[in-house]
Amino acid sequence: MSAFARTDRSLLGQWWWTVDRLLLVGIGILVLMGAIMVLASSPPIARNLRLDGMHFVIRHFLVLVPAALCLFAVSLLAPRGVLRLATMLFAAAAGLTIATLFFAPEIKGATRWLFIGGQQLQPSEFLKPGLAVVVAWLLASKPGLKGLPLSLILVGGTMAVLLLQPDLGMAAVVASFFAAQLFVAGLGWLPIILLAAVGVGGLWSAYTLLPHVRDRIDGFLDPAAEIYQVERALSAVKSGGLFGRGPGEGVVKFRLPEAHSDFVFATVAEEFGIIACLVIVAIFAWLVLRALWRLQLNPNRFVQLAATGLIAQFGLQALVNMAVNVNLVPTKGMTLPFISYGGSSLLAVAITMGMLLALTRRGARLEPIP
Amino acid sequence: MSEHDKQRMNGIGAVRLRLLALCFVLAFMSIGLRLVDMATAGQRTVTAGPSQTEDGVELRRAAIHDRHGELLASNIVTLSVIGDPLLMNDPETAAIALARVLDGVNAAELNARFARGGRFAWVKRQISPAEQAAVLELGLPGIGFQLGERRVYPRGREAAHVLGFVGIDNQGLAGIEYGLDAALQGGAALGKPDLALSLDRRVQRIAHAATKAGVDRFSAEGACTIVLDVETREVLALVSLPDYDPNRAERAPPEARRNRCTGDVYELGSLFKVVSAAMALESGDVSIYDRFDASESLRIGRHSIRDFRGHQRWLSVPEVFAYSSNIGTVKMTFAAGGTEAQKPFLDHLGLFSRPQLEIPETTQPLVQERWPDIVAATVSYGHGISVSPLQFTEAVAALVGDGKRLPATFLRRDPETLPTILEQAPTVVSERTIKDLRWLMWLTVERGTGANGGVQGYMVGGKTGTADKPTGSRRGYDGRAVISSFIGVFPADTPRYAVLSVLDEPKGDAETYGFRTGGWTAAPVVSRIIAQAGPLLGVPKKSPEIEAAFTDRLQVMPVMNGRTRRMEDGFAAASLTR
């Protein structure tokens, strides 16, 4: 079947024989399902919004094709290339993210988005993968945890900017994948407990200090309060049942805000059934476990830490999105990687997974500069 | 970093990665379990489906029956035409085509509804099968049907004011439909049983026909008739005219929707003398053997009280009642204690308070705030106090029935619990007063103004009333229009049923010699109802013994200046009038 001979030393040949094809297949299935979802469920939504029926389909594919190319191109990189790309990405995205504080219009109470060429862009989406790789390099370049102070400054600065936007969810994701990286880096149990305490304290202060956070959490905990979107999402899931109402046949989705983006999981449940949802959960779980399994076999510290940061943010994003859709956690605007309708998040996720693929290639290693 | 350290760090890294993987596995599993949980929960809600309105399944509504199980209100499944403007080729031509086949649909208005946006617009609700066929024939894309329910009243206008009606969404808007809406909504789907009313459809029909005939014959503005079970205070029939067809309630003018029996209050005039006589007799200060001077009109302050037809002589209590003498009644009231006795008695009977009924159409009685002698006097013959006809019938049922105050009801009373309820009910009059009152009412029909209320073969008691109708705008009366009424109770010896009929502005005709009084206009209505409903309800025919006992009581009336004969002569010659 293979197009490449074992002895093929070309870039593509090497890539084909070293890349983790099981990861690649998992990502491919997700991209395919996302495309099917957009084709099946977005035309009625578009017409409902008085847009052209193919509005979302066209836009999705306009982003999907470059995203897929990006993913492939990035996965061709050697670890050093990944580091270079990540550093540039981090520097650029950090600059743009800081710029949002001054130039971005306020949308729904936050300044997260820039408009470039008529396209909405959330620079912090690209900041995440860059930061993960750069921090991993800082940690891995020195023995033990001697790289910790510098990486702490970087992460702390990033979180400060994110909290100023304010984008609490993104800050929490950054904190979480950084914690995962420290954990894998061999942080002692006592500091881990302390770190967890700091995290809980941070959430608590967010709850007490930020009114919109408090409203959401109170609304989630209060069984009498019904948050419109969540309630709609739940009725969509229930309306679908095990096998769904059929592609394009959803009815609750018309009254479900963000049915094609943040709440696409509920739309899948309504049209394709809970079984399809379970398949999606399984694929995400498969990707995360497969990546972690590969890392465990690779003794290179930079690769381990960088890939841990990348897969952790990918897995967390999927987990939080699905948990919101099934009302396990309070509402948090986050897209479902590859399944949600396009936009800058799709591109960022493609770069993230491209770097992950590059780092999980067989024999990937990067020695610290002595 | 030594080789050993590297080894160790990597060992830790591998362990930590496995721990991290475990965390992710648990997190993904909890999402999976939650999904499975929702899948099964989703199936549970599907089985409890009929109560949902979300997907267009409308609520079912419990049926209403009469006391014998005859259907009074039910539902039929109907279709409504709906439109999805986004699926239409051309909403404007679709609207024009639909307006052509659907009665009452305006093309321009429909088009505006389509253009308003959204994916849903009503085209027409509750269509007929013929209309459905016509819409299907058009074959328009984006036009569909939705199943729904429509309330139907198979008896039409017969019991309209009791049943009330529902709105387009089957929500109760009047009568029992409104008053007991919560008990009806959902129906069998929510385990709610059909509703059994106290009405007797046969009696309702008789009352409706008789009242209608009375209104037509005397060209009355309106009328109200009530048949009340004296023993249980169950309403067997209630008619208010003009009426409406509850199947098309939205087309009925407000005037027709008014429930005159419960929602309106009237000065009932001489009818009220039933209450006054009971009060006087119950006080103990007036006996049925007393006499009052009715030879001259009575002056109270600057007011003068006259009789409709003066007798210019002393009248005994039975004469006062049977001839309906205002002067005698006022004197009787003052002999019994006037305001001090009258006010508490009326209050006790419940004539000062708004009745509690299963229907929302009730009104607070109009009662004078101050109660000087002139008010006590006018109230005694039924002016200066306005009560609803049903409220009054309920009071009379107490006075001639068991002497207990028990509210009227439109629902069936459980015969098992009735004795306990009656035991707890407050007593308003004694057994002796009840007996006297029954006799006085019998006498009124037998020898007095209520002769036209009599029915061949039955012992009927009654009282006539003719009240001047207040002018709509100003205080006072215009003296031309009257409210004529008659209350009958039968059988007169132990009343089982009370029948009240009130005619609003009847006009006399040649047959009544131009009279429009209660005795000439309302009494025949009641008489007809008793004649037709009596056999149906199994009321025993009059027995010669009881009738003899009633007649004998005339003989034992006290002799005063040897005038007993004269009194009897008076009754024998009794005619007409109030």
Side-chain angles (χ1 to χ4, degrees), chain A residues 30-43 45-46 49 51-65 67 108 113 115 118-122 125 256-268 280 284 317 321 325 333-350:
Chain A
L30 280 184
V31 169
L32 208 62
M33 288 187 86
I36 291 172
M37 271 319 293
V38 168
L39 278 170
S41 70
S42 84
I45 296 170
L49 297 169
L51 297 168
D52 180 67
M54 298 305 272
H55 179 88
F56 291 119
V57 176
I58 290 167
R59 280 162 173 255
H60 187 72
F61 281 94
L62 272 181
V63 183
L64 192 60
V65 174
K108 296 174 197 162
W113 294 275
F115 288 87
Q119 284 290 315
Q120 201 176 334
L121 186 78
Q122 191 178 349
E125 297 263 16
L256 175 63
E258 312 286 340
H260 55 298
S261 57
D262 289 3
F263 282 95
V264 73
F265 196 60
T267 314
V268 174
I280 291 179
F284 278 113
Q317 192 175 335
N321 176 281
N325 272 269
M334 226 175 259
T335 54
L336 189 58
F338 294 119
I339 308 276
S340 287
Y341 155 76
S344 62
S345 90
L346 181 57
L347 206 58
V349 165

Side-chain angles (χ1 to χ4, degrees), chain A residues 5-366:
Chain A
R6 279 268 179 193
T7 50
D8 191 341
R9 306 304 293 177
S10 75
L11 191 64
L12 273 181
Q14 274 193 19
W15 176 81
W16 176 252
W17 289 115
T18 53
V19 79
D20 184 28
R21 270 163 282 173
L22 286 173
L23 273 181
L24 203 58
V25 168
I27 292 169
I29 294 175
L30 280 184
V31 169
L32 208 62
M33 288 187 86
I36 291 172
M37 271 319 293
V38 168
L39 278 170
S41 70
S42 84
I45 296 170
R47 279 199 291 270
N48 207 31
L49 297 169
R50 306 259 154 186
L51 297 168
D52 180 67
M54 298 305 272
H55 179 88
F56 291 119
V57 176
I58 290 167
R59 280 162 173 255
H60 187 72
F61 281 94
L62 272 181
V63 183
L64 192 60
V65 174
L69 288 174
C70 239
L71 188 144
F72 171 67
V74 173
S75 72
L76 287 173
L77 294 172
R80 187 158 300 281
V82 171
L83 178 59
R84 284 197 191 116
L85 172 68
T87 313
M88 287 187 293
L89 200 61
F90 175 69
L96 286 175
T97 306
I98 292 167
T100 59
L101 295 180
F102 303 103
F103 303 115
E106 185 167 312
I107 297 171
K108 296 174 197 162
T111 55
R112 296 174 197 169
W113 294 275
L114 289 177
F115 288 87
I116 295 170
Q119 284 290 315
Q120 201 176 334
L121 186 78
Q122 191 178 349
S124 55
E125 297 263 16
F126 297 90
L127 188 66
K128 278 189 306 182
L131 181 67
V133 174
V134 172
V135 163
W137 182 71
L138 288 174
L139 287 173
S141 60
K142 300 222 172 89
L145 288 166
K146 295 213 176 73
L148 184 59
L150 202 56
S151 58
L152 263 181
I153 291 170
L154 216 53
V155 171
T158 308
M159 283 180 65
V161 172
L162 290 175
L163 287 174
L164 281 173
Q165 278 188 331
D167 191 349
L168 187 69
M170 192 70 83
V173 167
V174 168
S176 302
F177 78 68
F178 182 56
Q181 286 177 305
L182 290 180
F183 182 67
V184 174
L187 195 64
W189 284 105
L190 190 65
I192 289 172
I193 292 166
L194 282 176
L195 212 62
V198 169
V200 172
L203 284 178
W204 175 251
S205 54
Y207 174 75
T208 48
L209 293 177
L210 302 173
H212 79 277
V213 175
R214 183 173 22 217
D215 286 352
R216 279 203 187 161
I217 293 176
D218 285 351
F220 174 72
L221 294 178
D222 181 4
E226 279 190 345
I227 299 165
Y228 182 74
Q229 289 168 316
V230 175
E231 191 238 333
R232 283 277 151 234
L234 285 180
S235 74
V237 174
K238 283 177 182 160
S239 138
L242 275 184
F243 303 104
R245 302 178 71 109
E249 295 295 315
V251 287
V252 182
K253 67 178 180 189
F254 293 117
R255 279 167 284 171
L256 175 63
E258 312 286 340
H260 55 298
S261 57
D262 289 3
F263 282 95
V264 73
F265 196 60
T267 314
V268 174
E270 191 187 14
E271 300 197 346
F272 296 90
I274 281 173
I275 288 176
C277 287
L278 287 171
V279 170
I280 291 179
V281 173
I283 294 171
F284 278 113
W286 159 254
L287 285 175
V288 172
L289 294 183
R290 174 71 191 171
L292 292 175
W293 177 257
R294 291 280 292 199
L295 297 178
Q296 188 221 178
L297 298 176
N298 190 336
N300 186 271
R301 208 153 171 252
F302 166 73
V303 170
Q304 263 189 3
L305 294 180
T308 298
L310 294 173
I311 196 66
Q313 55 182 263
F314 177 80
L316 273 172
Q317 192 175 335
L319 273 174
V320 170
N321 176 281
M322 293 189 289
V324 165
N325 272 269
V326 296
N327 200 24
L328 274 178
V329 301
T331 324
K332 182 72 218 87
M334 226 175 259
T335 54
L336 189 58
F338 294 119
I339 308 276
S340 287
Y341 155 76
S344 62
S345 90
L346 181 57
L347 206 58
V349 165
I351 293 173
T352 307
M353 290 314 270
M355 295 203 284
L356 184 80
L357 280 175
L359 292 173
T360 51
R361 280 168 72 177
R362 205 177 308 143
R365 52 187 283 117
L366 179 71

Side-chain angles (χ1 to χ4, degrees), chain B residues 427-444:
Chain B
T427 306
V428 283
V429 283
S430 65
E431 195 63 33
R432 207 174 59 96
T433 306
I434 295 169
K435 282 218 162 99
D436 286 346
L437 205 59
R438 286 172 180 173
W439 183 68
L440 287 176
M441 289 180 80
W442 167 79
L443 195 62
T444 306

Side-chain angles (χ1 to χ4, degrees), chain B residues 496-548:
Chain B
R496 189 60 226 278
Y497 300 102
V499 183
L500 169 72
S501 197
V502 179
L503 295 181
D504 185 353
E505 288 192 33
K507 283 97 190 162
D509 59 18
E511 240 178 284
T512 68
Y513 312 105
F515 285 117
R516 51 192 184 160
T517 55
W520 281 103
T521 56
V525 172
V526 172
S527 158
R528 183 172 156 185
I529 293 169
I530 293 175
Q532 293 181 4
L536 210 88
L537 294 168
V539 174
K541 295 269 180 183
K542 67 179 165 193
S543 79
E545 295 87 50
I546 295 174
E547 198 181 21

